[in-house]
Amino acid sequence: MIIGSKVILRAKRLADAQDDYAWQTDPELAQLDAVPLLTTSFSQYLSDYTSELHYPSLIRHRFAIETLGGKHIGNCAYYGVNEAKGEAELGIMIGNRDCWDKGYGADAVGALLDHIFRRTNLKRIHLKTLDSNIRAQKCFQKCGFTLCGHLVKDGFSFVLMEIYRRQWQERQASPSETA
């Protein structure tokens, strides 16, 4: 369990499947995540979900995002872990629209970065987000990510961002910058 000031990041569990399915079958959320809309039945989804819980990936670390009150509002992960390069990719989705623009995403990203840089040997975390997703870009900048490029893939245009352990450590030493 990873505790932030507004959220708790915890291991995924079977009880999350219903929310996750609803979010992955939501056209607006799929568009924001630049992924195809999920079209499988819930029973098939649940079967695959159960399998993932029982046989987790060694290069993908997934977390549920809960409010401090225990409400599941989204998910985050770091994945594509490359120990040799010392890097991984970060992803986040706040699926509960009532929690948008309230600081939950930034707190989750900050808590996850804190966990990664304190508990692993990873030196660089990178991500991609849609050019049009200004809300996400502002969140990531608030957390210390900087622009490092652009990518066009599968018809989508992305902004690439990154943060290095050294940058994160400097931000921790100067808390006034993170406010």
Side-chain angles (χ1 to χ4, degrees):
M1 195 178 306
I2 303 165
I3 301 173
S5 61
K6 298 183 108 173
V7 299
I8 295 170
L9 308 183
R10 59 155 174 81
K12 298 292 297 167
R13 52 186 178 222
L14 197 54
D16 299 332
Q18 191 169 353
D19 288 336
D20 289 350
Y21 183 80
W23 297 332
Q24 290 179 36
T25 55
D26 181 305
E28 182 183 6
L29 293 176
Q31 178 66 28
L32 284 171
D33 212 17
V35 296
L37 191 64
L38 184 67
T39 57
T40 187
S41 69
F42 181 70
S43 62
Q44 180 59 50
Y45 178 82
L46 192 57
S47 175
D48 295 343
Y49 199 94
T50 303
S51 180
E52 275 189 48
L53 289 176
H54 285 109
Y55 305 104
S57 167
L58 297 175
I59 61 169
R60 185 173 185 216
H61 305 276
R62 300 181 329 145
F63 300 91
I65 303 170
E66 281 188 354
T67 63
L68 295 179
K71 182 173 180 59
H72 180 218
I73 62 169
N75 300 298
C76 62
Y78 64 102
Y79 54 95
V81 176
N82 184 325
E83 295 287 345
K85 287 185 174 182
E87 63 184 35
E89 188 165 352
L90 183 142
I92 181 171
M93 183 195 46
I94 302 296
N96 183 324
R97 286 178 178 76
D98 293 340
C99 296
W100 288 5
D101 296 318
K102 294 190 172 132
Y104 291 109
D107 190 51
V109 169
L112 186 55
L113 286 173
D114 186 65
H115 170 78
I116 292 167
F117 288 134
R118 288 186 193 272
R119 305 283 168 109
T120 76
N121 291 321
L122 299 177
K123 296 176 180 79
R124 175 180 175 260
I125 302 299
H126 57 95
L127 58 84
K128 64 183 176 290
T129 189
L130 290 170
D131 278 342
S132 59
N133 194 343
I134 303 303
R135 178 190 301 120
Q137 292 170 42
K138 286 181 180 179
C139 169
F140 298 134
Q141 287 171 343
K142 180 179 178 180
C143 295
F145 281 86
T146 56
L147 180 68
C148 65
H150 295 274
L151 170 72
V152 176
K153 184 177 178 183
D154 300 328
F156 294 101
S157 181
F158 296 97
V159 169
L160 305 177
M161 302 179 87
E162 67 186 359
I163 187 170
Y164 285 87
R165 176 187 301 270
R166 172 185 37 80
Q167 293 169 304
W168 177 81
Q169 289 170 329
E170 289 169 2
R171 288 175 61 84
Q172 299 311 298
S174 303
S176 61
E177 291 180 22
T178 61

PDB file of all heavy atoms in Angstrom, residues 10-32:
ATOM      1  N   ARG A  10      -3.165   0.799  -3.943  1.00  0.00           N
ATOM      2  CA  ARG A  10      -3.157  -0.544  -3.371  1.00  0.00           C
ATOM      3  C   ARG A  10      -3.164  -1.575  -4.484  1.00  0.00           C
ATOM      4  O   ARG A  10      -3.420  -1.261  -5.644  1.00  0.00           O
ATOM      5  CB  ARG A  10      -4.351  -0.743  -2.449  1.00  0.00           C
ATOM      6  CG  ARG A  10      -5.674  -0.557  -3.157  1.00  0.00           C
ATOM      7  CD  ARG A  10      -6.807  -1.298  -2.494  1.00  0.00           C
ATOM      8  NE  ARG A  10      -8.083  -1.006  -3.098  1.00  0.00           N
ATOM      9  CZ  ARG A  10      -8.535  -1.577  -4.207  1.00  0.00           C
ATOM     10  NH1 ARG A  10      -7.827  -2.474  -4.845  1.00  0.00           N
ATOM     11  NH2 ARG A  10      -9.732  -1.255  -4.692  1.00  0.00           N
ATOM     12  N   ALA A  11      -2.900  -2.815  -4.115  1.00  0.00           N
ATOM     13  CA  ALA A  11      -2.917  -3.905  -5.088  1.00  0.00           C
ATOM     14  C   ALA A  11      -4.313  -4.022  -5.689  1.00  0.00           C
ATOM     15  O   ALA A  11      -5.323  -3.779  -5.017  1.00  0.00           O
ATOM     16  CB  ALA A  11      -2.518  -5.209  -4.403  1.00  0.00           C
ATOM     17  N   LYS A  12      -4.344  -4.380  -6.958  1.00  0.00           N
ATOM     18  CA  LYS A  12      -5.630  -4.624  -7.615  1.00  0.00           C
ATOM     19  C   LYS A  12      -6.271  -5.849  -6.988  1.00  0.00           C
ATOM     20  O   LYS A  12      -5.591  -6.748  -6.509  1.00  0.00           O
ATOM     21  CB  LYS A  12      -5.408  -4.881  -9.115  1.00  0.00           C
ATOM     22  CG  LYS A  12      -4.796  -3.718  -9.871  1.00  0.00           C
ATOM     23  CD  LYS A  12      -5.714  -2.536  -9.980  1.00  0.00           C
ATOM     24  CE  LYS A  12      -6.953  -2.891 -10.776  1.00  0.00           C
ATOM     25  NZ  LYS A  12      -8.022  -1.896 -10.663  1.00  0.00           N
ATOM     26  N   ARG A  13      -7.606  -5.865  -6.976  1.00  0.00           N
ATOM     27  CA  ARG A  13      -8.337  -7.022  -6.456  1.00  0.00           C
ATOM     28  C   ARG A  13      -9.576  -7.267  -7.308  1.00  0.00           C
ATOM     29  O   ARG A  13     -10.005  -6.406  -8.066  1.00  0.00           O
ATOM     30  CB  ARG A  13      -8.658  -6.863  -4.979  1.00  0.00           C
ATOM     31  CG  ARG A  13      -9.345  -5.604  -4.584  1.00  0.00           C
ATOM     32  CD  ARG A  13      -9.469  -5.513  -3.058  1.00  0.00           C
ATOM     33  NE  ARG A  13     -10.099  -4.284  -2.667  1.00  0.00           N
ATOM     34  CZ  ARG A  13      -9.714  -3.539  -1.661  1.00  0.00           C
ATOM     35  NH1 ARG A  13      -8.723  -3.902  -0.903  1.00  0.00           N
ATOM     36  NH2 ARG A  13     -10.350  -2.424  -1.368  1.00  0.00           N
ATOM     37  N   LEU A  14     -10.134  -8.445  -7.168  1.00  0.00           N
ATOM     38  CA  LEU A  14     -11.260  -8.854  -7.990  1.00  0.00           C
ATOM     39  C   LEU A  14     -12.435  -7.874  -7.896  1.00  0.00           C
ATOM     40  O   LEU A  14     -13.123  -7.632  -8.885  1.00  0.00           O
ATOM     41  CB  LEU A  14     -11.698 -10.270  -7.597  1.00  0.00           C
ATOM     42  CG  LEU A  14     -12.583 -10.994  -8.593  1.00  0.00           C
ATOM     43  CD1 LEU A  14     -11.956 -11.041  -9.985  1.00  0.00           C
ATOM     44  CD2 LEU A  14     -12.876 -12.401  -8.100  1.00  0.00           C
ATOM     45  N   ALA A  15     -12.626  -7.278  -6.743  1.00  0.00           N
ATOM     46  CA  ALA A  15     -13.725  -6.336  -6.549  1.00  0.00           C
ATOM     47  C   ALA A  15     -13.593  -5.090  -7.446  1.00  0.00           C
ATOM     48  O   ALA A  15     -14.571  -4.380  -7.667  1.00  0.00           O
ATOM     49  CB  ALA A  15     -13.808  -5.911  -5.083  1.00  0.00           C
ATOM     50  N   ASP A  16     -12.404  -4.835  -7.993  1.00  0.00           N
ATOM     51  CA  ASP A  16     -12.191  -3.682  -8.871  1.00  0.00           C
ATOM     52  C   ASP A  16     -12.702  -3.936 -10.288  1.00  0.00           C
ATOM     53  O   ASP A  16     -12.848  -2.999 -11.077  1.00  0.00           O
ATOM     54  CB  ASP A  16     -10.696  -3.347  -8.973  1.00  0.00           C
ATOM     55  CG  ASP A  16     -10.068  -2.972  -7.649  1.00  0.00           C
ATOM     56  OD1 ASP A  16     -10.788  -2.453  -6.770  1.00  0.00           O
ATOM     57  OD2 ASP A  16      -8.858  -3.204  -7.497  1.00  0.00           O
ATOM     58  N   ALA A  17     -12.940  -5.192 -10.628  1.00  0.00           N
ATOM     59  CA  ALA A  17     -13.259  -5.565 -12.008  1.00  0.00           C
ATOM     60  C   ALA A  17     -14.477  -4.819 -12.556  1.00  0.00           C
ATOM     61  O   ALA A  17     -14.463  -4.389 -13.716  1.00  0.00           O
ATOM     62  CB  ALA A  17     -13.467  -7.073 -12.124  1.00  0.00           C
ATOM     63  N   GLN A  18     -15.498  -4.653 -11.767  1.00  0.00           N
ATOM     64  CA  GLN A  18     -16.710  -3.999 -12.258  1.00  0.00           C
ATOM     65  C   GLN A  18     -16.438  -2.548 -12.656  1.00  0.00           C
ATOM     66  O   GLN A  18     -16.852  -2.100 -13.729  1.00  0.00           O
ATOM     67  CB  GLN A  18     -17.821  -4.079 -11.215  1.00  0.00           C
ATOM     68  CG  GLN A  18     -19.165  -3.655 -11.753  1.00  0.00           C
ATOM     69  CD  GLN A  18     -20.302  -3.996 -10.799  1.00  0.00           C
ATOM     70  OE1 GLN A  18     -20.122  -4.663  -9.796  1.00  0.00           O
ATOM     71  NE2 GLN A  18     -21.483  -3.531 -11.136  1.00  0.00           N
ATOM     72  N   ASP A  19     -15.720  -1.800 -11.799  1.00  0.00           N
ATOM     73  CA  ASP A  19     -15.361  -0.413 -12.137  1.00  0.00           C
ATOM     74  C   ASP A  19     -14.466  -0.383 -13.371  1.00  0.00           C
ATOM     75  O   ASP A  19     -14.679   0.413 -14.285  1.00  0.00           O
ATOM     76  CB  ASP A  19     -14.616   0.262 -10.983  1.00  0.00           C
ATOM     77  CG  ASP A  19     -15.497   0.584  -9.794  1.00  0.00           C
ATOM     78  OD1 ASP A  19     -16.730   0.716  -9.971  1.00  0.00           O
ATOM     79  OD2 ASP A  19     -14.948   0.720  -8.683  1.00  0.00           O
ATOM     80  N   ASP A  20     -13.447  -1.234 -13.379  1.00  0.00           N
ATOM     81  CA  ASP A  20     -12.503  -1.254 -14.498  1.00  0.00           C
ATOM     82  C   ASP A  20     -13.212  -1.548 -15.813  1.00  0.00           C
ATOM     83  O   ASP A  20     -12.924  -0.934 -16.840  1.00  0.00           O
ATOM     84  CB  ASP A  20     -11.387  -2.271 -14.252  1.00  0.00           C
ATOM     85  CG  ASP A  20     -10.422  -1.833 -13.149  1.00  0.00           C
ATOM     86  OD1 ASP A  20     -10.505  -0.667 -12.702  1.00  0.00           O
ATOM     87  OD2 ASP A  20      -9.587  -2.657 -12.737  1.00  0.00           O
ATOM     88  N   TYR A  21     -14.140  -2.491 -15.795  1.00  0.00           N
ATOM     89  CA  TYR A  21     -14.897  -2.834 -17.006  1.00  0.00           C
ATOM     90  C   TYR A  21     -15.722  -1.629 -17.469  1.00  0.00           C
ATOM     91  O   TYR A  21     -15.733  -1.285 -18.653  1.00  0.00           O
ATOM     92  CB  TYR A  21     -15.800  -4.042 -16.747  1.00  0.00           C
ATOM     93  CG  TYR A  21     -16.554  -4.499 -17.971  1.00  0.00           C
ATOM     94  CD1 TYR A  21     -15.928  -5.277 -18.940  1.00  0.00           C
ATOM     95  CD2 TYR A  21     -17.890  -4.160 -18.157  1.00  0.00           C
ATOM     96  CE1 TYR A  21     -16.620  -5.704 -20.075  1.00  0.00           C
ATOM     97  CE2 TYR A  21     -18.588  -4.580 -19.289  1.00  0.00           C
ATOM     98  CZ  TYR A  21     -17.943  -5.351 -20.244  1.00  0.00           C
ATOM     99  OH  TYR A  21     -18.623  -5.760 -21.369  1.00  0.00           O
ATOM    100  N   ALA A  22     -16.379  -0.969 -16.530  1.00  0.00           N
ATOM    101  CA  ALA A  22     -17.188   0.207 -16.874  1.00  0.00           C
ATOM    102  C   ALA A  22     -16.310   1.303 -17.496  1.00  0.00           C
ATOM    103  O   ALA A  22     -16.700   1.938 -18.489  1.00  0.00           O
ATOM    104  CB  ALA A  22     -17.909   0.740 -15.637  1.00  0.00           C
ATOM    105  N   TRP A  23     -15.141   1.517 -16.937  1.00  0.00           N
ATOM    106  CA  TRP A  23     -14.248   2.550 -17.458  1.00  0.00           C
ATOM    107  C   TRP A  23     -13.693   2.168 -18.831  1.00  0.00           C
ATOM    108  O   TRP A  23     -13.546   3.013 -19.694  1.00  0.00           O
ATOM    109  CB  TRP A  23     -13.126   2.833 -16.474  1.00  0.00           C
ATOM    110  CG  TRP A  23     -13.609   3.376 -15.160  1.00  0.00           C
ATOM    111  CD1 TRP A  23     -14.738   4.106 -14.930  1.00  0.00           C
ATOM    112  CD2 TRP A  23     -12.996   3.209 -13.885  1.00  0.00           C
ATOM    113  NE1 TRP A  23     -14.861   4.402 -13.590  1.00  0.00           N
ATOM    114  CE2 TRP A  23     -13.805   3.876 -12.923  1.00  0.00           C
ATOM    115  CE3 TRP A  23     -11.835   2.577 -13.439  1.00  0.00           C
ATOM    116  CZ2 TRP A  23     -13.487   3.924 -11.576  1.00  0.00           C
ATOM    117  CZ3 TRP A  23     -11.516   2.626 -12.090  1.00  0.00           C
ATOM    118  CH2 TRP A  23     -12.337   3.295 -11.161  1.00  0.00           C
ATOM    119  N   GLN A  24     -13.387   0.896 -19.036  1.00  0.00           N
ATOM    120  CA  GLN A  24     -12.807   0.466 -20.310  1.00  0.00           C
ATOM    121  C   GLN A  24     -13.846   0.344 -21.423  1.00  0.00           C
ATOM    122  O   GLN A  24     -13.492   0.235 -22.596  1.00  0.00           O
ATOM    123  CB  GLN A  24     -12.053  -0.852 -20.134  1.00  0.00           C
ATOM    124  CG  GLN A  24     -10.779  -0.668 -19.324  1.00  0.00           C
ATOM    125  CD  GLN A  24     -10.034  -1.968 -19.123  1.00  0.00           C
ATOM    126  OE1 GLN A  24     -10.004  -2.808 -20.001  1.00  0.00           O
ATOM    127  NE2 GLN A  24      -9.432  -2.129 -17.959  1.00  0.00           N
ATOM    128  N   THR A  25     -15.118   0.365 -21.065  1.00  0.00           N
ATOM    129  CA  THR A  25     -16.177   0.337 -22.074  1.00  0.00           C
ATOM    130  C   THR A  25     -16.811   1.724 -22.266  1.00  0.00           C
ATOM    131  O   THR A  25     -17.808   1.858 -22.972  1.00  0.00           O
ATOM    132  CB  THR A  25     -17.271  -0.694 -21.707  1.00  0.00           C
ATOM    133  OG1 THR A  25     -17.780  -0.411 -20.401  1.00  0.00           O
ATOM    134  CG2 THR A  25     -16.717  -2.109 -21.749  1.00  0.00           C
ATOM    135  N   ASP A  26     -16.229   2.732 -21.649  1.00  0.00           N
ATOM    136  CA  ASP A  26     -16.701   4.115 -21.760  1.00  0.00           C
ATOM    137  C   ASP A  26     -15.977   4.775 -22.945  1.00  0.00           C
ATOM    138  O   ASP A  26     -14.751   4.898 -22.928  1.00  0.00           O
ATOM    139  CB  ASP A  26     -16.393   4.856 -20.457  1.00  0.00           C
ATOM    140  CG  ASP A  26     -16.851   6.294 -20.456  1.00  0.00           C
ATOM    141  OD1 ASP A  26     -16.461   7.044 -21.383  1.00  0.00           O
ATOM    142  OD2 ASP A  26     -17.568   6.684 -19.529  1.00  0.00           O
ATOM    143  N   PRO A  27     -16.720   5.214 -23.969  1.00  0.00           N
ATOM    144  CA  PRO A  27     -16.078   5.788 -25.164  1.00  0.00           C
ATOM    145  C   PRO A  27     -15.177   6.996 -24.878  1.00  0.00           C
ATOM    146  O   PRO A  27     -14.104   7.116 -25.461  1.00  0.00           O
ATOM    147  CB  PRO A  27     -17.259   6.191 -26.051  1.00  0.00           C
ATOM    148  CG  PRO A  27     -18.399   5.346 -25.583  1.00  0.00           C
ATOM    149  CD  PRO A  27     -18.173   5.127 -24.112  1.00  0.00           C
ATOM    150  N   GLU A  28     -15.602   7.889 -23.996  1.00  0.00           N
ATOM    151  CA  GLU A  28     -14.790   9.078 -23.698  1.00  0.00           C
ATOM    152  C   GLU A  28     -13.481   8.693 -23.019  1.00  0.00           C
ATOM    153  O   GLU A  28     -12.416   9.213 -23.352  1.00  0.00           O
ATOM    154  CB  GLU A  28     -15.570  10.063 -22.815  1.00  0.00           C
ATOM    155  CG  GLU A  28     -14.771  11.331 -22.528  1.00  0.00           C
ATOM    156  CD  GLU A  28     -15.473  12.296 -21.593  1.00  0.00           C
ATOM    157  OE1 GLU A  28     -16.539  11.957 -21.048  1.00  0.00           O
ATOM    158  OE2 GLU A  28     -14.947  13.409 -21.414  1.00  0.00           O
ATOM    159  N   LEU A  29     -13.542   7.769 -22.068  1.00  0.00           N
ATOM    160  CA  LEU A  29     -12.323   7.354 -21.375  1.00  0.00           C
ATOM    161  C   LEU A  29     -11.388   6.600 -22.316  1.00  0.00           C
ATOM    162  O   LEU A  29     -10.169   6.773 -22.246  1.00  0.00           O
ATOM    163  CB  LEU A  29     -12.665   6.505 -20.153  1.00  0.00           C
ATOM    164  CG  LEU A  29     -13.389   7.237 -19.025  1.00  0.00           C
ATOM    165  CD1 LEU A  29     -13.769   6.276 -17.910  1.00  0.00           C
ATOM    166  CD2 LEU A  29     -12.545   8.381 -18.481  1.00  0.00           C
ATOM    167  N   ALA A  30     -11.941   5.778 -23.186  1.00  0.00           N
ATOM    168  CA  ALA A  30     -11.111   5.066 -24.168  1.00  0.00           C
ATOM    169  C   ALA A  30     -10.410   6.069 -25.080  1.00  0.00           C
ATOM    170  O   ALA A  30      -9.213   5.921 -25.380  1.00  0.00           O
ATOM    171  CB  ALA A  30     -11.956   4.097 -24.981  1.00  0.00           C
ATOM    172  N   GLN A  31     -11.124   7.102 -25.494  1.00  0.00           N
ATOM    173  CA  GLN A  31     -10.525   8.136 -26.351  1.00  0.00           C
ATOM    174  C   GLN A  31      -9.397   8.861 -25.616  1.00  0.00           C
ATOM    175  O   GLN A  31      -8.333   9.076 -26.174  1.00  0.00           O
ATOM    176  CB  GLN A  31     -11.600   9.134 -26.801  1.00  0.00           C
ATOM    177  CG  GLN A  31     -11.078  10.272 -27.657  1.00  0.00           C
ATOM    178  CD  GLN A  31     -10.556   9.840 -29.014  1.00  0.00           C
ATOM    179  OE1 GLN A  31     -10.997   8.836 -29.561  1.00  0.00           O
ATOM    180  NE2 GLN A  31      -9.603  10.575 -29.541  1.00  0.00           N
ATOM    181  N   LEU A  32      -9.620   9.232 -24.361  1.00  0.00           N
ATOM    182  CA  LEU A  32      -8.586   9.911 -23.577  1.00  0.00           C
ATOM    183  C   LEU A  32      -7.358   9.026 -23.367  1.00  0.00           C
ATOM    184  O   LEU A  32      -6.244   9.521 -23.219  1.00  0.00           O
ATOM    185  CB  LEU A  32      -9.139  10.349 -22.211  1.00  0.00           C
ATOM    186  CG  LEU A  32     -10.036  11.569 -22.217  1.00  0.00           C
ATOM    187  CD1 LEU A  32     -10.685  11.763 -20.853  1.00  0.00           C
ATOM    188  CD2 LEU A  32      -9.260  12.812 -22.640  1.00  0.00           C
TER     189      LEU A  32
END
